[in-house]
Amino acid sequence: MPSPSRNTWWLDAKWLVMASAIAAFAVVLGYDVRLGIATGVLLMATGFAWLLVALWFAAGARAQASPVRSLTERYQQQLRQRLLAEQRARESKAKALVKPGRAAKQP
């Protein structure tokens, strides 16, 4: 599963939307001050609502894990257990082959 790139945060679409909203606000404010103030209040209310929703979902308010995430975590857990079992099997096989009493009895 591909992970999002960490170094392209400035290419996110939300910045384009915010820049467009600010530009539209500036155009409307230049056209009519009262209409510009109303547009500014509407933009601020929308931004505040967006911020609340973003904080709500980022703070872990949804206790349910997504099915994809839980399936991925289960797969990784099984993979770790399988690798650990293989390592233990190799170690027990190596210990069985190298016993001090058996090495002296062989001709």
Side-chain angles (χ1 to χ4, degrees):
M1 180 162 55
S3 62
S5 179
R6 303 278 182 197
N7 60 359
T8 58
W9 61 269
W10 57 275
L11 290 176
D12 197 10
K14 67 181 174 186
W15 300 116
L16 178 62
V17 171
M18 286 184 207
S20 300
I22 292 171
F25 170 68
V27 168
V28 171
L29 189 62
Y31 178 72
D32 185 15
V33 176
R34 290 187 307 178
L35 187 60
I37 291 172
T39 305
V41 169
L42 182 64
L43 282 174
M44 288 181 63
T46 305
F48 184 69
W50 175 73
L51 184 62
L52 284 177
V53 168
L55 289 175
W56 175 265
F57 286 110
R62 293 188 312 169
Q64 302 175 19
S66 71
V68 174
R69 181 173 292 163
S70 58
L71 184 64
T72 303
E73 289 173 358
R74 178 71 176 147
Y75 171 76
Q76 290 173 352
Q77 179 186 11
Q78 288 179 351
L79 182 64
R80 283 191 302 270
Q81 288 176 349
R82 188 178 311 125
L83 292 174
L84 184 62
E86 288 176 3
Q87 181 182 3
R88 287 180 181 168
R90 282 192 300 260
E91 289 174 358
S92 65
K93 186 177 179 181
K95 285 180 183 179
L97 291 176
V98 184
K99 285 200 175 187
R102 290 189 180 188
K105 291 181 181 180
Q106 292 181 356

